[in-house]
Amino acid sequence: QFELGAARPLRVSYHFNPKVSHYHYGVKHPMKPFRLMLTDHLVSGYGMHKVMDLYETRAATNDELTEFHTEDYVHFLQKVSPDNLGKLPRGTLEKFNIGDDCPIFQNLYDYATLYTGASLDATRKLINGQSDIAINWSGGLHHAKKNSPSGFCYVNDIVLSIVNLLRYHPRVLYIDIDLHHGDGVQEAFYTTDRVYTISFHKYNGDFFPGTGDIDETGCDAGERFALNVPLEDGIDDDSYINLFKSVIGPLITAYNPTVIIQQCGADSLGHDRLGCFNLNIKAHGECVKFVKSFGIPMLVVGGGGYTPRNVSRLWAYETGVLNDVILPKDLPEGLSFKNFFGPDYSLYPVLDDLYENKNSKKYLEDTRIRCLENIRYLQG
Ligand code: V1S
Ligand code: CA
Ligand code: ZN
């Protein structure tokens, strides 16, 4: 029971199906769904399962996937397997962009529908008001396109979640702090003013996926409703947090979203196998804390992250942040897979010592000003 006018504690829900950790992209492939099991062990080891509403998630249905993806592509995903790859009509693999980045592995369709089902379950809880914050660390696969996979992403769970949110919410804000440009989400909503997309990412024209320059800002009714923050190697905690807050603060005020989706790709941390930034766990988490402070319903999803021991520490820490709990540096007693976290065995390893910061003060200031100019346009 809460008194009238008193702050009600936030309801946070956690959506996970342990089966999603058991799929394998291939031995040499950097994407390791096992990182999700490590995350879940840390989250429960720290007792966070006791403070959230926990849901074991279902697989998304074929009909749910075709709310964004084409029937042709969904049918292909459903039928293809490593055993029938050789028997497909000539050109099928090229047509569907199958290759090293997006290989066909055993039970791929089950994997894609499981991570998507978790995002859709989380979205439903936000829509019906049972959650203020809904978390799915297995989601956040922001590159998948309408008719093809891209960059380790087969189904775009974020786009599908937004399509559902748009049935009830007038304005959806999408914030992407993965190292890579959130191109699939940007492209899906590039011509509408009902979804504002912003991505912070490494950009030099060459770096995957090659898009996300500062002059990509939307078109038609969506003109000025997309924003990109291109960054150079080695960005450090203070530069990232300052830029993030000084752009996201005015953006939330100006756009006034009724719901926010934050993609928390962990490849923007320092020491990531595919990464080139210098961020520590607390700095990444500060961006989540800042967005939460606006008190707007949030869907929080994972994304990239290729050093599993750091991915899991980050997402456990951010689960704490979303529940207003600061997790102690000492790892939980009796933690399974504890050997993964050596030699420091701390929740907060030092991750900022690898790259020189190639983002000059002038570059960061110019970028901030250009972003604010775009945002100012929203106020008319
Ligand atoms: N950077 C990078 C990178 N590394 C790989 C890779 C390495 C080994 C493998 F066995 C398979 C793939 N691919 C890439 C990138 C794709 C990055 C996707 C990031 C996804 C996300 O974190 O944003 C969200 C989950 N691909 C490329 O750079 C393309 C290539 C141009 C080079 C790599 N080869 C394998 C394919 C073509
Ligand atoms: Ca990004
Ligand atoms: Zn990424």
Side-chain angles (χ1 to χ4, degrees), residues 142-143 178-180 267 304-306:
H142 59 175
H143 298 304
D178 190 285
L179 172 74
H180 299 96
D267 45 7
Y306 306 101

Side-chain angles (χ1 to χ4, degrees), residues 232-244:
E232 305 278 357
D233 287 0
I235 191 156
D236 60 26
D237 292 350
D238 288 348
S239 317
Y240 196 93
I241 293 171
N242 287 339
L243 185 61
F244 184 86

Side-chain angles (χ1 to χ4, degrees), residues 261-292:
I261 300 174
Q262 187 163 12
Q263 196 268 22
C264 298
D267 45 7
S268 42
L269 288 177
H271 286 244
D272 187 82
R273 175 171 161 190
L274 298 189
C276 51
F277 286 176
N278 263 340
L279 301 186
N280 285 296
I281 284 172
K282 285 187 179 169
H284 199 285
E286 184 63 30
C287 300
V288 175
K289 195 184 288 182
F290 185 68
V291 174
K292 175 180 176 284

Side-chain angles (χ1 to χ4, degrees), residues 215-249:
D215 59 16
E216 290 173 27
T217 53
C219 68
D220 300 335
E223 201 176 333
R224 306 288 182 116
F225 290 86
L227 192 55
N228 285 290
V229 188
L231 299 165
E232 305 278 357
D233 287 0
I235 191 156
D236 60 26
D237 292 350
D238 288 348
S239 317
Y240 196 93
I241 293 171
N242 287 339
L243 185 61
F244 184 86
K245 289 187 176 174
S246 63
V247 171
I248 294 293

Side-chain angles (χ1 to χ4, degrees), residues 28-31 35 100-101 140-143 150-153 178-181 206-208 263 267 273-274 303-306:
K28 290 195 187 143
H29 201 287
M31 179 58 107
R35 69 203 177 124
D100 291 340
D101 273 1
L141 284 96
H142 59 175
H143 298 304
S150 172
F152 318 164
C153 309
D178 190 285
L179 172 74
H180 299 96
H181 177 222
D206 233 12
F207 193 72
F208 186 86
Q263 196 268 22
D267 45 7
R273 175 171 161 190
L274 298 189
Y306 306 101

